[in-house]
Amino acid sequence: RPLENFSLNDYLAGRFNRFAGSIHAGNFESGADEIPGLERVFFEVKRRPLRRQLPGESAVSEFTIDDKSNHYVINVITPARNIQRVINATIGKPLWCAKGPQFVDPCD
């Protein structure tokens, strides 16, 4: 979990290469505990594989990711859909929602 909010646009533009965060035993959005000794670690970005500029047009409205026990649905950001929403479809609970253009403010 990042220790401070930051702009995804700044991240993609390469305006910073390091940030601090904590490592959790599971999904921090669902309240997973921090792992002792890993409450403040530093991450260095080595590369940024940009697929398209945010927000950009896309024929795809969402994509899914599965882990061993959960199914997640993530919307695709477009000019008409200027939010980033992550839903744990397994438990029917939204995990994250932030509105653009900076994607640090929560959705209403």
Side-chain angles (χ1 to χ4, degrees):
R1 174 182 203 161
L3 295 182
E4 296 181 8
N5 288 336
F6 57 80
S7 162
L8 289 177
N9 291 334
D10 287 347
Y11 166 76
L12 291 173
R15 294 188 183 106
F16 63 91
N17 291 321
R18 287 176 47 105
F19 63 93
S22 57
I23 305 293
H24 292 248
N27 184 336
F28 72 84
E29 290 98 341
S30 296
D33 294 329
E34 289 180 333
I35 297 174
L38 299 176
E39 298 90 350
R40 185 173 177 83
V41 296
F42 292 90
F43 300 88
E44 182 175 357
V45 179
K46 298 282 186 179
R47 66 184 186 101
R48 293 171 183 82
L50 179 61
R51 302 293 182 236
R52 64 183 175 85
Q53 187 63 40
L54 297 177
E57 294 299 337
S58 177
V60 177
S61 63
E62 63 186 32
F63 61 95
T64 61
I65 297 175
D66 294 294
D67 62 19
K68 292 180 181 177
S69 57
N70 291 288
H71 178 75
Y72 302 95
V73 179
I74 298 99
N75 74 292
V76 174
I77 301 167
T78 67
R81 205 174 35 254
N82 200 16
I83 64 167
Q84 175 67 75
R85 184 182 317 268
V86 179
I87 298 170
N88 182 329
T90 304
I91 62 173
K93 181 179 178 183
L95 302 178
W96 170 266
C97 190
K99 58 185 173 180
Q102 297 301 317
F103 299 98
V104 295
D105 296 321
C107 298
D108 299 325

